[in-house]
């Protein structure tokens, strides 16, 4: 019987711990996230969706902007997972590389802009808790995390675009070979 009582206490204790964690978030990060989301949505309304569309088409013209500025804006304004919809401004052959860059940036942005990927905030907060335990500042970590993320998304975007182009060439050559043999 003691075993069942202990099991029941552990079971309800798990939910109590979850509730305590939720209340900690409700007092800390949630109000910040809500304010950030409201401001981002207000900016989109003030600027206008058509202007944002034109700007997005201009920023995808050059590879360095396509795999740095464009994914940063997508992740910041639309957050994860909506940010991938920015790919609609790109030709089909560039969409895989944009997706790779955007999906690689949803973690590095979290330190400075937690609204961008709040579902994965625990990754950053896990690292941050170690620093706060040591009484170290989180801002340098967040900035470094963001800068390294920008370098990584540029490299990943360029490499994925190169791989995609190689595969498309092979597919085209294979199709041409098949057509000439029939």
């Amino acid at each position: 019987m003691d075993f069942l009582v202990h099991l029941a206490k552990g079971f309800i204790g798990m939910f109590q711990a979850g509730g305590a964690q939720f209340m900690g978030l409700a007092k800390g990060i949630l109000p910040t996230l809500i304010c950030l989301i409201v401001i981002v949505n207000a900016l989109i309304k003030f600027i206008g969706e058509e202007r944002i569309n034109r700007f997005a088409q201009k920023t995808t013209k050059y590879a360095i902007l396509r795999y740095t500025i464009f994914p940063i804006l997508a992740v910041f304004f639309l957050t994860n997972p909506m940010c991938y919809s920015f790919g609609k401004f790109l030709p089909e052959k560039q969409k895989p590389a944009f997706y790779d860059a955007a999906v690689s940036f949803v973690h590095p942005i979290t330190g400075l802009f937690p609204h961008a990927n709040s579902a994965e905030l625990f990754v950053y907060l896990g690292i941050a808790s170690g620093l706060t335990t040591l009484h170290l500042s989180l801002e340098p970590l967040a900035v470094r995390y963001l800068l390294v993320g920008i370098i990584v998304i540029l490299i990943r975007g360029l490499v994925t675009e190169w791989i995609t182009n190689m595969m498309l060439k092979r597919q085209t050559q294979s199709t041409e070979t098949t057509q000439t043999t029939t």
Side-chain angles (χ1 to χ4, degrees), residues 1-8:
M1 193 60 144
D2 288 339
F3 172 75
L4 292 176
V5 170
H6 182 70
L7 188 65

Side-chain angles (χ1 to χ4, degrees), residues 24-43:
L25 291 172
K27 292 177 184 174
I29 194 68
L30 286 179
T32 304
L33 291 176
I34 292 168
C35 289
L36 283 168
I37 290 169
V38 167
I39 288 171
V40 167
N41 287 332
L43 279 173

Side-chain angles (χ1 to χ4, degrees), residues 16 23 35 60 64 107 110 117 139 155 157 171 173 179:
Q16 289 171 335
M23 288 309 294
C35 289
T60 60
I64 196 162
H107 293 292
T110 308
N117 193 20
E139 289 79 15
I155 292 169
Q171 183 181 11
Q173 289 171 351
Q179 289 176 351

